[in-house]
Amino acid sequence: MTHGSERTARGRSLLATIPAVSLAAVVVLVWSLAAPSLGATLLPSPSAVVRALGELAATGDLWPATLATSWVALRGVILAVLVALPLSWLIVHSRRAAAAIEPWIVISQAVPAIALAPLLVLWFGYGTGTTALLAALLVFFPMVIATGIGLRGIDPEVMAAARVDGAGTGQLLAYIEAPLALPQILAGLRAGVALAMTGAVVGEFVIGGAGLGQLLVAQRDRADTAGLFATLFVLASISALAYGIVRILEARASQMTQR
């Protein structure tokens, strides 16, 4: 890629951010205008939220809670990936497995994850491991669906030609299926990382812990609306960061498969 094309790509990337930045500016402006009439309890001003965020950071409560929730969410993502990828491969390659497993995967989505939390506590007890399992349940479904779409989208003729050349199951998976399905797998992961944070926080509401979910509960109990907004901003920022990282990896994987 030449320097000129690199500058053009960067310029397009910057232009693409203008709508989002403009919308954010409008939201903050409307928020600032509406806050005084509603009062600090219902809607704190943006400046009050910024002050609350600074106070949380200064007290030392924010960073340990942020790390705790992020770690639980990451464990949930890892667990979901470890189960979803081989299970999806099995479903794609075995009609009997698909007939037996797919209906139950779909049915499992009819049960809200928060409703499963008491049952998970009964089975596995209180602790961050149970919270991570709850987060994994939210990540699992999009990972299975996206991986299945990626594997089924591979050209059968490519697979057949590789088999003719003597490629075995492991070689097909390593050199054809995994690389070609990677963009779709990452698309599922992109949806999953945000859901993992949701699962981690919901789990902390129900199961307990020392993360942002418990911080939100404490702020709610003392009617600290500005603190609630500040903590929610941190949660949204972490989810957006994780989403953006996976989106970049997904774009690079798509470029590699198109070469």
Side-chain angles (χ1 to χ4, degrees):
M1 183 180 288
T2 64
H3 293 296
S5 60
E6 287 180 358
R7 286 195 295 268
T8 301
R10 290 173 184 172
R12 289 175 180 173
S13 299
L14 290 174
L15 287 174
T17 63
I18 290 177
V21 173
S22 300
L23 178 59
V26 171
V27 170
V28 172
L29 177 60
V30 173
W31 179 6
S32 301
L33 295 174
S37 60
L38 293 176
T41 302
L42 291 179
L43 185 64
S45 66
S47 59
V49 174
V50 172
R51 285 196 300 271
L53 185 60
E55 291 171 0
L56 279 172
T59 59
D61 294 334
L62 181 61
W63 307 122
T66 300
L67 290 174
T69 300
S70 300
W71 175 233
V72 168
L74 178 60
R75 289 164 63 189
V77 169
I78 293 172
L79 179 59
V81 168
L82 291 177
V83 176
L85 294 187
L87 184 63
S88 185
W89 184 90
L90 178 63
I91 290 172
V92 169
H93 288 278
S94 171
R95 293 181 179 179
R96 291 182 178 179
I101 299 172
E102 276 189 323
W104 294 107
I105 292 177
V106 175
I107 291 171
S108 70
Q109 298 307 296
V111 182
I114 191 171
L116 294 175
L119 185 60
L120 295 178
V121 170
L122 182 64
W123 285 346
F124 304 106
Y126 290 93
T128 57
T130 305
T131 309
L133 180 58
L134 182 63
L137 291 175
L138 292 179
V139 181
F140 173 76
F141 186 72
M143 284 298 306
V144 169
I145 297 300
T147 302
I149 291 172
L151 292 174
R152 289 190 173 107
I154 298 174
D155 189 345
E157 293 184 0
V158 173
M159 299 288 288
R163 289 192 181 96
V164 169
D165 289 338
T169 300
Q171 292 172 317
L172 289 172
L173 176 61
Y175 297 109
I176 296 179
E177 290 181 300
L180 293 181
L182 185 59
Q184 286 75 23
I185 294 172
L186 291 173
L189 182 62
R190 177 160 49 92
V193 290
L195 292 172
M197 289 299 295
T198 301
V201 172
V202 170
E204 289 170 354
F205 285 158
V206 180
I207 301 170
L212 293 173
Q214 285 297 298
L215 188 58
L216 287 169
V217 170
Q219 291 163 338
R220 178 203 63 190
D221 292 342
R222 61 175 182 263
D224 181 8
T225 312
L228 283 169
F229 270 77
T231 304
L232 290 173
F233 174 79
V234 173
L235 275 170
S237 299
I238 296 170
S239 297
L241 177 62
Y243 183 96
I245 291 172
V246 179
R247 182 69 186 88
I248 292 171
L249 295 175
E250 181 188 346
R252 291 183 177 178
S254 296
Q255 291 174 356
M256 291 176 63
T257 56
Q258 292 171 3
R259 290 176 183 175

